[in-house]
Amino acid sequence: MPAPATSPASTALPDALGRFGAFGGRFVPETLMDALNVLAGAYAEAQADPAFRAKLQDYYANYVGRPSPLYFAERLSKLVGGADIYLKREDLNHTGAHKINNAIGQVLIAQRMGKTRVIAETGAGQHGVATATACALTGLECTIYMGEEDIRRQKLNVFNMRTMGATVVPVTTGSRTLRDATNEAMRDWMGSSEQTHYTIGSVVGPHPFPMIVRDFQSIIGQETREQSLARLGRLPDAVVACVGGGSNAAGMFYPFINDDEVALIGAEAGGRGPNSGDHASSLTQGRPGVLHGSFSYVLQDDDGQTDDVHSISAGLDYPGVGPEHSYWKDCGRVRYESITDAEALDAYHVLARREGILPALESSHAVAQAMKEAPALGAGKVLVVCLSGRGDKDAYEIARLRGEPMG
Amino acid sequence: MRSPTVNPPHSSENVMNRIDALFTRLRSQGRRALMPFLTAGDPELEATAALIGEMVTRGADMVELGIPYSDPIADGPVIAESYTRALRTGIKLASIFAMVERLRSSERVEAPIVTMVSYAIVHRHGVTAYLDRAVSSGVDGLIVPDLPVEEAADLCRLATARNLSLIQLVTPTTPRDRALKIIASTTGFLYYVSVAGITGERRELPPELADNVAWLRSQTKLPVCIGFGISGPDQIRQLAPVADGLIVGSALVRRLRGAAERPRAEVVGEIGGFVEELARALTLT
Ligand SMILES: Cc1ncc(COP(=O)(O)O)c(C=O)c1O
């Protein structure tokens, strides 16, 4: 059950140093500080420019296909029992996930700043595809860093990125997943920031990235709020989203932060179980520390070394989380839970059979959490799940896990 | 917030920090400092101790000791891989400090030792715990490459109270007004990063490097040392006239690849030889 709020969460954050309460900030080499300051200035200017906002709106409406539908999953709700479950269909966006909301916004900023090249890290490949897409759309050069293990798990997205003209650089260091791809992207940016913008893919990293990504993703929560009021005449009772770095969740939650009657629940990757190395539950099992330029909950050993993590879903396979989530957790405004690989896989199949929707494995964590929440909430209540992406990219991996490889 | 009037366990107010003493001496002799960088624990910690002793004997004035970290974003492949090799040996911070303590007590190594350490590690151990142990083991200063000046106020105050130097970095991307802020909270020496980018040897260093360092030296009494990209004696000769000291990292660490499979004495001798070559280049300029 939702913990009582220990202190009200403010929506007026971050402060000038990029802090959300104790969390956030900038823990990066001096070499990047000027680029971050320049970016913060350019971002503020863009947001104050009606022409920029109009252009972004136009892309959202006519290119991405926004607003995304709020769909009543009636057969799922019947099966589970209790609250009515609605799906916020980010999977229907162009490129198949919420990542495009942020990628287009940031690439437009890069273009305004006169950058000629864009780099990004990607885990599941959805942010990589979204960035490659936005670069094809604007004519900017694009390089995507992706861990070798993720390249294996997410072949379709790699193929699509390359088709759109992006260079995909395999990262072979460390665990060869999202965390290592993020290191490589930051290293590239250390030497290239003059002509290159780093389009970070989640609400992580040094200020101003967590704020920028949250703002661009907030379209999810804003639409959900409006759709809910228009359709149901009220706000939902609970909202659930999966949390990797935390961008779809931040975008979904932020517009509801001041609506105390709306319970906000984040679902992290519980992996194979609670032992270190078997999961990626930074908020529910980690502790405050520094990773990738920000102070936030992190999975780290007693010596400050980042733990190995695991998740069935490449997009949640990350040992850190955005600083605003750490703030919301400590304020008690958002409740964070952990969903195992098996529970996510089960939810994936339930949604496929019951609703004819193949969710991304990341989003399947949110569906699994919703299946636990709905009966507890009870009949007559409304629960919205952020269906952050579609599952096409995961078909090969799920077939392999089922022992029926597609070849 | 802790009170600024902490009584540090091992500070001796009237004793000059080894780094300050070194630069005072070198300046009076018209000499520059040679500062090799090594990863603690690559190939393993006993070898690091032997390497430090050897480097100091063969001309190193100060040693920069890299504390291995799992996610170093300022480091190129050579040092990042070196960190990985060290971490694979299961090395812990406690054993690194114990090694330094041993060098100070039984080996009588007197050259200044500075740790290069991610704030992720300092924070996990606790700032005061880290600093106290650094002092008690005989470390003289620290470089925290992922702690920009905005976040460094507490660390600067607590380090200064312990007579530990907090060496901060200025880079080619640092605006000049910002550089002045960094200078104001730096002790020991100012670290000028020669290139905008990660650590690693460079064939060419930027043409504006000398001007930038000259400007910094006109703004502060602190010694200004140049690091990142320096690959060998030629660049040492080129840069020595403009700086108070030169830091050589990747060029040295690269020579430790595969060192675990070789006899210790051979590796130590080879690194010593390289340091001697660098030291000779420095004194002949
Ligand atoms: C469909 C989908 N959902 C969620 C995520 C996790 O990212 P975040 O927590 O930033 O939304 C990803 C990341 O790749 C994704 O592709």
Side-chain angles (χ1 to χ4, degrees):
Chain A
M1 286 294 94
T6 47
S7 66
S10 168
T11 48
L13 295 172
D15 67 15
L17 288 176
R19 294 281 183 167
F20 302 89
F23 300 102
R26 287 174 172 171
F27 296 88
V28 290
E30 172 61 22
T31 302
L32 291 180
M33 287 303 287
D34 191 54
L36 293 171
N37 283 327
V38 169
L39 175 60
Y43 175 68
E45 262 171 38
Q47 285 292 22
D49 177 1
F52 173 81
R53 299 173 76 108
K55 192 169 180 184
L56 185 62
Q57 276 316 316
D58 183 55
Y59 278 129
Y60 279 175
N62 301 312
Y63 187 74
V64 177
R66 304 207 70 90
S68 66
L70 182 65
Y71 163 72
F72 176 37
E74 196 172 352
R75 277 177 36 85
L76 174 68
S77 304
K78 273 221 181 78
L79 174 76
V80 174
D84 289 344
I85 301 174
Y86 287 74
L87 305 177
K88 177 61 174 165
R89 299 290 307 274
E90 292 298 301
D91 61 315
L92 294 178
N93 293 341
H94 178 45
T95 72
H98 68 293
K99 297 287 183 186
I100 191 79
N101 303 329
N102 166 53
I104 287 196
Q106 282 204 54
V107 170
L108 289 179
I109 302 262
Q111 201 179 29
R112 269 176 78 96
M113 293 173 77
K115 306 290 180 190
T116 55
R117 176 174 176 260
V118 165
I119 56 172
E121 84 297 336
T122 195
Q126 289 303 118
H127 176 58
V129 165
T131 305
T133 300
C135 286
L137 182 65
T138 51
L140 298 186
E141 190 191 332
C142 182
T143 298
I144 305 292
Y145 289 93
M146 188 167 186
E148 236 178 15
E149 166 66 7
D150 292 338
I151 287 181
R152 182 193 67 73
R153 295 196 268 192
Q154 311 277 227
K155 289 192 193 77
L156 179 63
N157 280 339
V158 177
F159 181 78
N160 288 343
M161 283 184 259
R162 289 183 171 145
T163 301
M164 286 183 283
T167 304
V168 180
V169 181
V171 175
T172 55
T173 50
S175 53
R176 296 169 292 128
T177 59
L178 181 52
R179 154 194 167 197
D180 310 285
T182 306
N183 288 336
E184 282 313 319
M186 288 203 174
R187 287 172 188 147
D188 180 315
W189 207 39
M190 286 277 291
S192 67
S193 63
E194 209 174 320
Q195 77 282 9
T196 299
H197 174 69
Y198 177 18
T199 297
I200 209 164
S202 192
V203 287
V204 299
H207 177 66
F209 285 118
M211 169 181 76
I212 292 177
V213 180
R214 174 202 69 195
D215 289 353
F216 285 138
Q217 292 295 1
S218 288
I219 187 77
I220 305 173
Q222 284 157 19
E223 286 176 7
T224 303
R225 236 174 153 278
E226 285 159 22
Q227 289 164 325
S228 185
L229 289 172
R231 279 261 291 285
L232 310 167
R234 64 189 191 88
L235 295 178
D237 299 286
V239 174
V240 178
C242 68
V243 180
S247 68
N248 86 89
M252 182 55 133
F253 295 163
Y254 184 67
F256 289 104
I257 288 293
N258 293 327
D259 301 312
D260 290 340
E261 68 274 29
V262 182
L264 304 174
I265 303 131
E268 293 194 295
R272 292 179 289 247
N275 292 332
S276 173
D278 281 348
H279 62 84
S281 300
S282 321
L283 286 159
T284 50
Q285 302 223 46
R287 49 191 169 166
V290 171
L291 178 68
H292 290 152
S294 166
F295 181 61
S296 193
Y297 277 77
V298 61
L299 293 164
Q300 198 181 60
D301 72 12
D302 289 340
D303 230 28
Q305 310 294 346
T306 311
D307 284 337
D308 285 336
V309 292
H310 161 82
S311 170
I312 190 174
S313 98
L316 305 185
D317 199 352
Y318 182 68
V321 68
E324 197 164 17
H325 285 289
S326 296
Y327 169 69
W328 288 337
K329 173 187 162 82
D330 280 12
C331 290
R333 179 61 187 97
V334 180
R335 175 162 54 90
Y336 296 92
E337 305 283 356
S338 196
I339 290 292
T340 64
D341 287 352
E343 289 170 327
L345 206 50
D346 180 48
Y348 169 91
H349 286 109
V350 168
L351 206 66
R353 291 295 178 93
R354 276 273 160 167
E355 296 288 351
I357 296 173
L358 298 172
L361 278 176
E362 292 77 17
S363 322
S364 301
H365 287 69
V367 175
Q369 187 62 39
M371 289 164 65
K372 292 183 181 178
E373 301 288 339
L377 264 177
K381 303 284 183 169
V382 173
L383 186 161
V384 177
V385 182
C386 184
L387 203 73
S388 56
R390 67 175 182 228
D392 306 40
K393 67 182 179 62
D394 296 313
Y396 289 92
E397 183 67 358
I398 289 169
R400 188 185 71 85
L401 291 170
R402 284 207 306 233
E404 344 168 332
M406 288 188 279
Chain B
M1 280 291 147
R2 281 179 198 86
S3 137
T5 55
V6 277
N7 205 1
H10 292 271
S11 96
S12 25
E13 276 144 48
N14 299 318
V15 175
M16 196 187 251
N17 173 303
R18 284 192 192 88
I19 298 170
D20 299 336
L22 171 72
F23 282 106
T24 306
R25 180 166 54 80
L26 290 181
R27 276 186 168 180
S28 74
Q29 299 168 340
R31 289 179 48 213
R32 322 283 177 189
L34 176 64
M35 298 184 256
F37 168 96
L38 270 187
T39 298
D42 176 25
E44 36 88 29
L45 207 49
E46 282 309 308
T48 305
L51 284 164
I52 292 175
E54 179 74 4
M55 294 195 306
V56 169
T57 310
R58 302 189 65 173
D61 297 295
M62 180 181 327
V63 174
E64 221 186 282
L65 194 56
I67 308 297
Y69 175 49
S70 54
D71 298 83
I73 54 184
D75 284 302
V78 170
I79 291 177
E81 282 163 20
S82 168
Y83 281 178
T84 305
R85 288 195 295 271
L87 288 172
R88 260 195 230 116
T89 70
I91 196 170
K92 295 280 184 276
L93 183 67
S95 51
I96 298 172
F97 279 133
M99 183 270 292
V100 174
E101 194 163 34
R102 227 166 35 244
L103 280 178
R104 292 288 188 224
S105 59
S106 30
E107 313 282 326
R108 302 270 161 223
V109 171
E110 273 306 314
I113 296 177
V114 167
T115 56
M116 166 84 94
V117 58
S118 168
Y119 190 67
I121 294 172
V122 176
H123 171 269
R124 176 56 57 229
H125 286 269
V127 172
T128 45
Y130 185 93
L131 297 179
D132 285 343
R133 184 61 186 123
V135 170
S136 69
S137 67
V139 164
D140 306 290
L142 69 164
I143 304 171
V144 190
D146 49 4
L147 195 72
V149 65
E150 287 83 352
E151 303 281 356
D154 274 6
L155 187 67
C156 181
R157 182 172 48 76
L158 295 165
T160 305
R162 287 161 177 75
N163 201 17
L164 269 178
S165 300
L166 178 64
I167 294 124
Q168 303 204 70
L169 290 82
V170 171
T171 77
T173 62
T174 308
R176 289 195 165 177
D177 53 343
R178 185 176 166 81
L180 296 178
K181 264 194 250 167
I182 295 172
I183 286 171
S185 65
T186 296
T187 51
F189 64 91
L190 192 67
Y191 189 137
Y192 186 74
V193 175
S194 67
V195 292
I198 51 181
T199 55
E201 296 166 74
R202 307 288 202 282
R203 214 167 278 146
E204 302 274 335
L205 294 174
E208 63 279 11
L209 174 58
D211 286 347
N212 287 338
V213 176
W215 179 79
L216 285 170
R217 291 176 87 194
S218 74
Q219 300 298 312
T220 177
K221 288 203 177 65
L222 283 169
V224 180
C225 302
I226 303 175
F228 280 44
I230 301 177
S231 50
D234 286 347
Q235 285 170 337
I236 296 261
R237 273 188 284 271
Q238 179 197 336
L239 296 175
V242 303
D244 294 284
L246 299 173
I247 299 152
V248 179
S250 298
L252 199 142
V253 171
R254 174 167 56 83
R255 291 170 160 79
L256 290 172
R257 248 185 222 147
E261 285 80 51
R262 295 167 52 200
R264 165 93 49 85
E266 185 186 307
V267 172
V268 170
E270 184 187 315
I271 296 291
F274 181 58
V275 168
E276 197 170 287
E277 213 185 315
L278 299 174
R280 201 173 313 123
L282 193 60
T283 40
L284 291 182
T285 46

